[in-house]
Amino acid sequence: MTKQLPDVQASSPDVSVGLNRVGVTGVEKLVKLHREDDRPIVLMAEFDVFVDLPSWRKGADMSRNMEVVDEMLEEAVSEPALSVEEVCGDVAERLLEKHEYTTQAEVQMEAEYMIREETPATNRPTQATADIVASATAHEEEGTREEIGCHVVGMTVCPCSQGMSESRARDVLEGLDVDRETVDQFLEEVPQPGHSQRGHATLTVETEGEPPVDLNELIDVARDSMSARIYNLAKRPDEDHMTFESHSDAKFVEDCVRAMAEGLVDRYPELPDDAVVYMEQSNDESIHQHNAHAERVAEFGQLKGEVEGE
C-alpha cells in the first residue's frame, strides 16, 4: 500500500498574508516554433512562472507548476504555427485551471533570436541577435492578456556634443576665409563628430489575446529608432556607412523612445486603442560614468493621438 504523503503546501501559514506572485524562475526549455514553407525557429528559452497565493494557504504547488510548463512546452514543439506569446498564454491558462486557489497566473519568457541579414555597404551575409520577450497573464474574471516584444542593441550619437563640434568647425572654416554659403553647404553634407553610445532599446505590445503584430517588424521598429543599426560583421565600407549614418541622425535617449512610438504607429495604425505599449531606451555613455535612460508606457490610443498631434 502506497503511503499518503502530507500536503504541507495546503496547510495554513503561521502569518496569514496573501502573496501576489509565487512560482519558479529560470526554467530553461528548448522551444521549436514551426513556420509554413520554412525551417522551424528553435529557441533556447527561459521561463518564469507565477500564481497568486491566498492568505490561508502556506505554499503553491511547485511540482504542479513544473508539470504544466513541461506539458505545454512539449506540445509547443509538435504543434505547428505557435507563437511564443501563445505558448505563454496557454501555459498561464493551464496554471489557472490546475490551481483552484488562484485567481491569476503569469508566465514570462525570454530567448535569444537570430536574424539573418546583409551588411549595409558590402552586402555580405551576416547574423544579428535580438532578445525575444513574451509574457501572458491569465485572470479568472478578466481573461488572458498576452505580450510580445524585443530587446535590441544599436548606436546613438549625442546631438549636444555634435552641435559643439559643428560650432567649432564653423569658426575654423570662417577663420580660413571660407564664405558662409560654402560653410553651410559643407556642414550640411559632412555631419560633424559627436560622442557615440551603445544603445539598448526595448519595445513590447500587450493586448487581450494574441497581439496582432509581427515580431520581426517590432525588431525593425526598435532597431530603426536609434541613430544607426550595428552589425556583427563589418568591413571598412560598412564601418564608414554606420559612422556616417549615425552622425547624420544624432538622437538623444528621449528621441529614441519617441522614434519607437512613431514607428509603431506608422507600422500598426489599427492596433486596438487599449493595447499597452512599453518603450524603453538606455544608452551606455562613452564620456560619462553614468548612463542615459528614458521610457514610456501608454495605451496605444493615447500614444497614437500624441504622435498624430491630436
Side-chain angles (χ1 to χ4, degrees):
M1 181 176 179
T2 303
K3 182 180 180 180
Q4 185 70 32
L5 298 176
D7 187 1
V8 179
Q9 290 97 330
S11 63
S12 299
D14 295 333
V15 181
S16 297
V17 173
L19 304 175
N20 296 111
R21 301 166 85 201
V22 176
V24 292
T25 63
V27 181
E28 294 183 341
K29 289 292 177 181
L30 192 67
V31 178
K32 182 187 293 184
L33 301 178
H34 292 268
R35 295 181 293 176
E36 292 184 7
D37 303 322
D38 207 342
R39 292 182 299 175
I41 299 173
V42 180
L43 303 171
M44 175 54 78
E46 185 172 296
F47 289 84
D48 296 340
V49 179
F50 306 102
V51 295
D52 63 341
L53 192 68
S55 60
W56 51 263
R57 187 179 175 94
K58 189 175 185 65
D61 297 306
M62 296 299 178
S63 60
R64 187 175 300 177
N65 290 356
M66 287 301 302
E67 179 185 0
V68 173
V69 172
D70 280 333
E71 287 178 359
M72 191 57 226
L73 294 183
E74 288 302 320
E75 289 185 14
V77 171
S78 58
E79 291 286 334
L82 276 175
S83 67
V84 287
E85 61 270 32
E86 284 180 321
V87 172
C88 292
D90 288 341
V91 175
E93 289 171 358
R94 288 186 177 218
L95 283 168
L96 199 61
E97 291 174 0
K98 284 183 175 286
H99 294 75
E100 68 279 358
Y101 54 83
T102 66
T103 60
Q104 181 172 294
E106 182 181 352
V107 177
Q108 301 173 352
M109 190 215 79
E110 288 197 20
E112 190 172 67
Y113 182 64
M114 300 301 298
I115 305 164
R116 296 184 180 274
E117 58 185 359
E118 292 184 346
T119 54
T122 59
N123 299 318
R124 291 173 178 251
T126 185
Q127 295 182 0
T129 58
D131 291 329
I132 300 174
V133 292
S135 68
T137 301
H139 195 281
E140 65 177 2
E141 296 180 354
E142 300 172 7
T144 303
R145 292 185 68 86
E146 296 178 1
E147 179 185 47
I148 183 64
C150 60
H151 301 302
V152 300
V153 179
M155 178 180 179
T156 62
V157 172
C158 176
C160 184
S161 66
Q162 186 181 59
M164 291 185 286
S165 295
E166 182 175 312
S167 177
R168 181 191 297 270
R170 183 178 296 278
D171 291 342
V172 170
L173 289 170
E174 290 178 352
L176 295 173
D177 293 328
V178 180
D179 64 272
R180 181 176 293 271
E181 183 178 349
T182 302
V183 171
D184 290 342
Q185 184 178 355
F186 173 79
L187 294 176
E188 180 70 25
E189 295 292 332
V190 183
Q192 296 305 292
H195 76 84
S196 60
Q197 306 144 326
R198 176 70 62 86
H200 306 268
T202 301
L203 174 61
T204 68
V205 176
E206 176 192 319
T207 61
E208 184 176 348
E210 185 180 0
V213 296
D214 179 80
L215 175 62
N216 290 292
E217 292 183 348
L218 288 184
I219 291 173
D220 284 338
V221 170
R223 293 181 78 189
D224 290 338
S225 69
M226 290 175 273
S227 296
R229 294 189 177 197
I230 59 175
Y231 298 81
N232 284 335
L233 172 66
K235 303 294 287 183
R236 289 175 65 185
D238 301 310
E239 293 176 353
D240 178 66
H241 175 93
M242 286 184 279
T243 302
F244 183 85
E245 184 178 68
S246 61
H247 284 79
S248 297
D249 192 18
K251 290 179 177 177
F252 291 119
V253 65
E254 299 93 338
D255 295 324
C256 296
V257 174
R258 293 176 176 127
M260 269 188 271
E262 183 178 40
L264 187 67
V265 170
D266 287 344
R267 193 72 62 100
Y268 293 104
E270 301 304 320
L271 265 179
D273 284 347
D274 64 350
V276 178
V277 180
Y278 177 76
M279 302 167 292
E280 176 188 296
Q281 180 73 26
S282 293
N283 291 343
D284 300 334
E285 293 281 3
S286 59
I287 63 172
H288 304 294
Q289 290 186 332
H290 59 263
N291 296 323
H293 183 91
E295 62 182 76
R296 175 70 187 278
V297 182
E299 289 192 342
F300 181 74
Q302 179 182 359
L303 198 65
K304 182 179 179 181
E306 292 179 25
V307 169
E308 296 179 348
E310 296 178 359

